[in-house]
Amino acid sequence: ANGRVLTLLVYLNPFWKKGDGGCLRLLEKLDSQSAAADIEPLHGRLMAFLCKDRNPHEVLPCFADRAAVTIWYYDGDRLSSRCNGKENDITGFAFEGG
């Protein structure tokens, strides 16, 4: 497991339209393609969901620029393992496009 406990997403897409794609698809269960819900990336929308295989999900294809801020809350042990011995030096973060 990656140690994530909670995911928070804030969408920043003031001009998003249905045909732009990029919805967050929440799946019924792990290893399933059955959608429980498709969440549109509307500007200002805040999503929060538990991790650790409790809420399997995927992002559907995007046909226009789409922006979001993602924040992950980690358990203490996993966060410590991602640090290189310095409090402010956390590895494994990235910017994702699309």
Side-chain angles (χ1 to χ4, degrees):
N2 62 17
R4 294 176 189 162
V5 176
L6 179 70
T7 298
L8 296 170
L9 292 168
V10 178
Y11 291 108
L12 305 170
N13 305 297
F15 305 109
W16 182 86
K17 302 178 297 301
K18 271 198 184 291
D20 292 343
C23 290
L24 174 68
R25 174 166 285 172
L26 300 177
L27 302 170
E28 292 280 339
K29 59 183 177 178
L30 199 60
D31 300 328
S32 169
Q33 291 303 312
S34 299
D38 287 341
I39 310 300
E40 297 173 337
L42 299 175
H43 185 68
R45 177 170 275 169
L46 172 66
M47 287 289 304
F49 53 91
L50 296 172
C51 300
K52 289 196 86 164
D53 302 332
R54 294 181 188 162
N55 290 296
H57 61 280
E58 64 183 347
V59 176
L60 299 179
C62 295
F63 307 106
D65 289 339
R66 173 185 159 286
V69 174
T70 304
I71 300 168
W72 291 299
Y73 175 78
Y74 284 86
D75 69 13
D77 294 335
R78 181 63 175 146
L79 182 59
S80 295
S81 73
R82 293 188 73 160
C83 294
N84 290 328
K86 300 177 200 162
E87 262 184 56
N88 296 325
D89 188 17
I90 299 174
T91 61
F93 65 91
F95 293 99
E96 298 178 13

